[in-house]
Amino acid sequence: MHEKGVDMKELQISTYDRVLVLAPHPDDESMGCGGLLLKHPGQCEVIVLTDGRHGGLSGQDQQSVVAMRKSEFEKAMAYALVKRWFFLGVEDGKLSENFAKFSELDLSGYNIILCPFPGENHQDHTCVFDFLRKVKTQTQCKILGYEVWSTLSSPSHYIDISDVVNNKKRLIAFYKSQIVQVDYVAKVIGLNCFRGLLPYPAVKYAEAYQEL
């Protein structure tokens, strides 16, 4: 019996929907929502909340790391045909201390906003949904949590990304500064392969989301 699939819904995004992905760091959007970005080119926008300065190798100059990660992100977004993005520029690791800066963002006009789900095991990830609640985004906007550092216990939605999984591998691979440290391509796609068990009947690869 495939009990896990009973309450799962396939995430439906119409051609008229305007979608925003909030990424704590450059690469979170591709690891957590890369399949969604690739399947809906031109509809998605991305805001990167921190500068990623602490994501370099030991001894690297922080400003060089910031520039490198920004360049990697821009190449990834060009590949995914994301036309609009923005860097909030908060120091990596200090997002939870910068609600005032977050609150200056214009989050109106979106049909769907995606952010890391509140149970994520990373200090820059856990505060994003709480920030969203505080700024009181429009009530008709659907907010979905995605997974990067921790897994959702009861996802509410999934997207079948089987047809774009090789593109997602390439998308993540643009972050050379990160995959030289950890093979994020293999680990993320491995999770997507496992998430393919969620729907019934099962699919090859899926991304999981939780409506918040």
Side-chain angles (χ1 to χ4, degrees), residues 13-198:
I13 299 177
S14 80
T15 55
Y16 302 102
D17 284 335
R18 188 177 172 211
V19 181
L20 173 66
V21 177
L22 295 173
H25 312 94
D27 69 10
D28 289 326
E29 81 298 322
S30 295
M31 291 194 286
C33 309
L36 183 151
L37 294 175
L38 290 160
K39 288 177 76 73
H40 299 279
Q43 287 184 253
C44 302
E45 301 173 25
V46 180
I47 298 178
V48 180
L49 302 175
T50 75
D51 57 17
R53 70 177 65 186
H54 298 304
L57 296 172
S58 178
Q60 279 188 294
D61 172 73
Q62 288 187 358
Q63 293 308 308
S64 297
V65 174
V66 170
M68 176 175 54
R69 299 197 69 182
K70 181 178 180 181
S71 174
E72 292 171 344
F73 170 82
E74 290 176 340
K75 291 175 182 176
M77 294 302 94
Y79 179 78
L81 301 180
V82 174
K83 297 178 181 178
R84 295 185 61 186
W85 61 78
F86 178 74
F87 296 93
L88 187 61
V90 173
E91 181 178 345
D92 189 3
K94 295 188 176 181
L95 185 57
S96 63
E97 304 169 23
N98 282 273
F99 172 71
K101 193 166 185 178
F102 181 92
S103 66
E104 296 173 359
L105 293 172
D106 180 5
L107 302 179
S108 62
Y110 295 101
N111 304 99
I112 299 172
I113 295 180
L114 299 110
C115 68
F117 83 98
E120 280 272 274
N121 186 28
H122 193 294
Q123 60 184 354
D124 284 335
H125 290 219
T126 56
C127 64
V128 182
F129 177 61
D130 187 49
F131 281 6
L132 276 174
R133 288 193 299 180
K134 288 180 180 178
V135 297
K136 297 183 175 68
T137 55
Q138 58 190 54
T139 56
Q140 67 267 35
C141 175
K142 178 180 288 187
I143 299 176
L144 295 167
Y146 61 85
E147 52 190 359
V148 177
W149 287 102
S150 305
T151 53
L152 289 160
S153 59
S154 300
S156 61
H157 293 77
Y158 74 92
I159 293 180
D160 182 353
I161 65 165
S162 304
D163 58 337
V164 295
V165 69
N166 288 328
N167 304 77
K168 181 170 180 177
K169 292 176 183 178
R170 297 186 189 101
L171 191 65
I172 299 171
F174 279 105
Y175 293 98
K176 295 179 180 179
S177 67
Q178 304 307 297
I179 62 175
V180 73
Q181 304 176 63
V182 177
D183 189 354
Y184 288 113
V185 175
K187 294 185 183 303
V188 171
I189 300 303
L191 174 61
N192 295 152
C193 182
F194 176 73
R195 286 309 195 190
L197 290 171
L198 291 172

